[in-house]
Amino acid sequence: MSSQRIARCGLCAALLAVSAWVSIPFGPVPFTLQTLVLAMLPGVLAPADAVATVGVYLLLGALGLPAFSNMMGGLGVIAGPTGGFLWGFLVGMALAGGVSRLERLPRVVRDVLSCAAILLTSYALGTVQLMIVGNMDLPAALAVAVLPFVVPDVVKMAVGVSLARAVSRALPAARRA
């Protein structure tokens, strides 16, 4: 991996951390700007680099750096009620990377499918972990962790894709593996 790609991944991991710091408490799951940054990654990084970026972000947070919402870090956050959403970012990004390689699909379709992969995977894993750790049933977990966030997350993802397109136009070599 070139130093330029490493720097790009590091910058994106830092953006993920900063986007988590923009946090508004909203029950057990806070409102953050992470989904905006996550939507940008498939558009500005190669698929493997996007997954590596999310992995580095999670590793830094797990090691205790204040990378997660409310400037928290540590394994307790990963194992806590909202940790499944964080794992969902990684799994969803891997799925989005697969979607981004489907060159036969129009760009807008790939963008929508990538965002859907990230968001739905995060919602699914986050809801399951919230149910287990928070001792909730499915309707209660969905009511506090998914339903209030659907519309804002779709808007943030649309903005993130738009920003990614602007960045990729400005730096056409940014996605080269």
Side-chain angles (χ1 to χ4, degrees), residues 36-100:
L36 186 148
V37 175
L38 288 166
M40 289 177 54
L41 297 183
V44 298
L45 297 174
D49 292 351
V51 173
T53 295
V54 176
V56 165
Y57 164 72
L58 293 176
L59 179 63
L60 292 173
L63 290 173
L65 292 175
F68 303 139
S69 65
N70 298 316
M71 297 188 81
M72 295 179 63
L75 289 175
V77 177
I78 298 262
T82 60
F85 293 97
L86 297 169
W87 288 113
F89 295 166
L90 183 64
V91 176
M93 192 58 65
L95 294 172
V99 169
S100 71

Side-chain angles (χ1 to χ4, degrees), residues 32-173:
T32 70
L33 294 180
Q34 289 169 296
T35 49
L36 186 148
V37 175
L38 288 166
M40 289 177 54
L41 297 183
V44 298
L45 297 174
D49 292 351
V51 173
T53 295
V54 176
V56 165
Y57 164 72
L58 293 176
L59 179 63
L60 292 173
L63 290 173
L65 292 175
F68 303 139
S69 65
N70 298 316
M71 297 188 81
M72 295 179 63
L75 289 175
V77 177
I78 298 262
T82 60
F85 293 97
L86 297 169
W87 288 113
F89 295 166
L90 183 64
V91 176
M93 192 58 65
L95 294 172
V99 169
S100 71
R101 293 177 191 212
L102 301 174
E103 295 292 329
R104 289 184 162 201
L105 294 176
R107 181 70 192 171
V108 68
V109 172
R110 284 182 290 170
D111 289 342
V112 168
L113 291 176
S114 291
C115 287
I118 295 165
L119 200 55
L120 293 176
T121 304
S122 178
Y123 283 165
L125 295 178
T127 299
V128 168
Q129 187 160 329
L130 181 62
M131 288 170 55
I132 293 167
V133 175
N135 196 26
M136 294 181 168
D137 61 6
L138 180 61
L142 289 173
V144 298
V146 175
L147 296 178
F149 297 94
V150 172
V151 171
D153 282 345
V154 168
V155 170
K156 290 184 285 183
M157 290 224 145
V159 171
V161 167
S162 178
L163 290 172
R165 286 184 178 178
V167 168
S168 64
R169 279 192 305 270
L171 304 170

